[in-house]
Amino acid sequence: MIRVQYAPKNTSVRINPAGLVLLEGRSVTLSCSSDANPAVNYTWYRDTEELLNPVQTGPNLTINNTDPTHRGRYYCRAENKHGTQNTSVLLDVQYAPKNTSLSVFPSSSVMEGKPVALNCRTDANPAELNYTWYRETGSQFEFLQTGYNHTYIVTNPTHGAWYGCNAQNQHGQRNATIQLDVQFAPNISSSCSRNSVIACVCEAHGNPCPTLEWRLSGHVLANSTETSIREETLGSTGVKSVLTTRQSLTDTDVLQCFSSNTYGRASQQFQTFPSTQETSFHHPSVLLGAAVGASVMMIVCIVMLCCERRRKEKPSETRQDDTSGLILTQTAVALDNDGQFVYGNKGMLSSTAPSSPESLHYSSIDFTNTEPPSGEITGIASLTSEYATVRHRPAGATDTENNTSTSETEPKKQDVTAEITDTSSPASEDMIYENVHQRDF
């Protein structure tokens, strides 16, 4: 029987296990077959059609513990004395993202207000990945965005933190982080209180971490017997200083908290330090004081009003010398010819008083009219007083020696005669002066 010989044909490669997807870490066997007569020799090559570097000979190629380096095209060459035939297969080793990294442009250390771009890179197969961006502050994670392998940030002091990128495909995920160092000038917050001592607290935040110092009217304060300064750090960008002093400060003294770093400086000052007791009001005391003051004013007004009324209502009294021997008698009221009331205070000599050649006695007589003759008040100094002279004669004297009252009111003159008889001293002739007042009802 004669067999026909021919060169290799229908050469093929089969992957075991079946399928073109191979996960990293697994083993795979490539089997090559060809139709030829006489039988062929198989040689395996990789990644090049020139087939310059053989990998293995034989119909099967086994790869254990595959990794991404095994990914590529594998060639099988079938050859006999009549010819050759080549075939190939693409071995796709897939794996989860790895070698993930983050980069910042232009730099991870950036001045406040400058923009930066963050770029996330990873090695994965398949390479179609989903990226998730987040920011890590302490133990807290803040979600930023998803989708792209880069993000863009305009920095401020709060952006100084760790930034993370999460890359994920169907085989797994991998994270990468980078610290964004946002640098900025110091900013200060402070407060002061005064009781028995002055206590001030000053905090400064900046990057790089700033320094703090206290100044009193331009002079740097340090620890002393009267002044205590205690300082502590607040994380990597903050510092806190507590000042306690017993120094006596005036209104012109200026206490200042001063902070600086390589990007700038800041300060805060306090010019006056009023104590809590001096600036606060005790409202119940204020109300009580106001009530007491109002009550005192009211009492004073009432007393003054009563005194004024008593002074106006008190009748005029005849002033007498204690040694004159006069006694006060009751007021005499008389009605003159015109229907006027006449009021008079008469002074009498005491029967025991020695007679004096010419002692003076004073008396007041009031005249009251219902209506003024001319509708106005007349008299000396615009008063309703009329004046009269009363002569004191002994008993038995004639009427011509009577005391005569002469009115000074115009245009009508009124004559009023008041007579006082002295029975105690007929030999003497004393003068008595009376004030005569006229009042209109």
Side-chain angles (χ1 to χ4, degrees):
M1 180 177 178
I2 299 174
R3 296 184 63 181
V4 177
Q5 294 184 353
Y6 49 90
K9 58 180 181 181
N10 301 325
T11 304
S12 64
V13 176
R14 186 177 72 251
I15 299 176
N16 187 23
L20 298 178
V21 176
L22 175 63
L23 291 180
E24 180 183 15
R26 296 184 179 181
S27 299
V28 64
T29 298
L30 302 180
S31 298
C32 185
S33 61
S34 178
D35 181 16
N37 189 22
V40 298
N41 296 319
Y42 297 98
T43 306
W44 293 93
Y45 301 87
R46 183 180 174 187
D47 295 333
T48 176
E49 294 182 357
E50 284 79 9
L51 305 180
L52 298 178
N53 299 311
V55 176
Q56 180 179 325
T57 60
N60 297 321
L61 174 63
T62 299
I63 304 173
N64 297 315
N65 194 20
T66 57
D67 59 49
T69 62
H70 294 138
R71 180 178 180 236
R73 186 168 292 277
Y74 289 81
Y75 294 88
C76 173
R77 180 175 183 178
E79 179 180 12
N80 62 12
K81 59 182 180 180
H82 300 292
T84 62
Q85 188 178 29
N86 299 327
T87 188
S88 66
V89 64
L90 179 63
L91 189 62
D92 186 21
V93 180
Q94 295 188 356
Y95 49 92
K98 58 183 179 180
N99 301 325
T100 305
S101 64
L102 267 176
S103 61
V104 181
F105 180 83
S107 171
S108 61
S109 180
V110 61
M111 184 63 184
E112 172 188 9
K114 300 295 184 179
V116 293
L118 280 73
N119 188 43
C120 185
R121 294 182 179 181
T122 188
D123 179 19
N125 187 26
E128 293 79 16
L129 301 172
N130 183 39
Y131 294 93
T132 300
W133 292 91
Y134 60 91
R135 179 165 57 204
E136 182 179 352
T137 305
S139 59
Q140 302 296 322
F141 289 86
E142 178 186 358
F143 169 78
L144 297 178
Q145 69 178 50
T146 60
Y148 300 99
N149 66 336
H150 62 274
T151 188
Y152 185 80
I153 297 175
V154 178
T155 58
N156 63 46
T158 63
H159 291 152
W162 285 91
Y163 285 80
C165 163
N166 177 270
Q168 182 177 12
N169 65 8
Q170 66 265 37
H171 302 300
Q173 61 183 2
R174 185 61 61 90
N175 296 329
T177 59
I178 193 172
Q179 185 177 21
L180 188 60
D181 186 24
V182 180
Q183 298 184 346
F184 55 95
N187 57 77
I188 285 181
S189 62
S190 59
S191 63
C192 279
S193 63
R194 179 177 183 177
N195 292 313
S196 58
V197 296
I198 296 176
C200 296
V201 179
C202 186
E203 289 188 15
H205 293 270
N207 189 18
C209 186
T211 59
L212 270 181
E213 66 180 13
W214 293 94
R215 296 180 182 179
L216 181 60
S217 298
H219 301 286
V220 178
L221 291 176
N223 281 301
S224 65
T225 56
E226 294 184 344
T227 302
S228 172
I229 300 176
R230 178 171 51 87
E231 190 171 295
E232 61 181 285
T233 58
L234 304 174
S236 60
T237 61
V239 61
K240 176 181 178 181
S241 180
V242 179
L243 169 72
T244 304
T245 181
R246 292 180 172 84
Q247 293 188 33
S248 298
L249 303 182
T250 65
D251 292 340
T252 59
D253 289 329
V254 178
L255 183 64
Q256 183 182 38
C257 175
F258 188 86
S259 177
S260 65
N261 67 5
T262 56
Y263 291 99
R265 61 184 61 186
S267 64
Q268 190 165 5
Q269 67 182 26
F270 306 88
Q271 188 165 2
T272 57
F273 299 90
S275 63
T276 305
Q277 292 81 359
E278 294 173 350
T279 58
S280 62
F281 293 95
H282 189 258
H283 295 284
S285 299
V286 172
L287 295 177
L288 180 59
V292 171
S295 301
V296 170
M297 291 296 295
M298 186 177 297
I299 292 173
V300 170
C301 292
I302 292 174
V303 170
M304 292 179 63
L305 182 60
C306 291
C307 292
E308 183 68 18
R309 288 183 177 179
R310 183 175 298 176
R311 186 182 63 82
K312 292 181 178 180
E313 294 176 356
K314 182 177 182 180
S316 60
E317 297 177 357
T318 302
R319 296 182 179 178
Q320 304 293 342
D321 192 350
D322 292 341
T323 61
S324 65
L326 295 177
I327 59 173
L328 295 178
T329 63
Q330 62 182 0
T331 302
V333 182
L335 182 64
D336 64 3
N337 294 331
D338 295 331
Q340 297 175 337
F341 289 96
V342 179
Y343 301 88
N345 295 325
K346 298 188 295 181
M348 300 290 293
L349 283 173
S350 173
S351 59
T352 60
S355 62
S356 164
E358 229 180 307
S359 57
L360 297 180
H361 307 281
Y362 300 91
S363 179
S364 297
I365 302 176
D366 295 335
F367 297 91
T368 306
N369 295 332
T370 56
E371 293 182 359
S374 60
E376 65 180 28
I377 300 173
T378 61
I380 296 176
S382 300
L383 299 175
T384 57
S385 299
E386 296 181 358
Y387 301 89
T389 302
V390 180
R391 291 187 178 276
H392 184 205
R393 64 176 176 80
T398 61
D399 293 336
T400 59
E401 296 178 353
N402 289 347
N403 298 319
T404 304
S405 65
T406 304
S407 173
E408 295 181 6
T409 58
E410 295 295 341
K412 180 182 177 180
K413 294 184 178 180
Q414 298 179 2
D415 295 332
V416 179
T417 300
E419 182 180 48
I420 302 176
T421 302
D422 188 356
T423 58
S424 62
S425 180
S428 64
E429 185 174 354
D430 298 334
M431 297 298 294
I432 300 177
Y433 293 89
E434 293 185 353
N435 293 328
V436 181
H437 304 280
Q438 176 173 331
R439 296 180 183 173
D440 297 330
F441 286 101

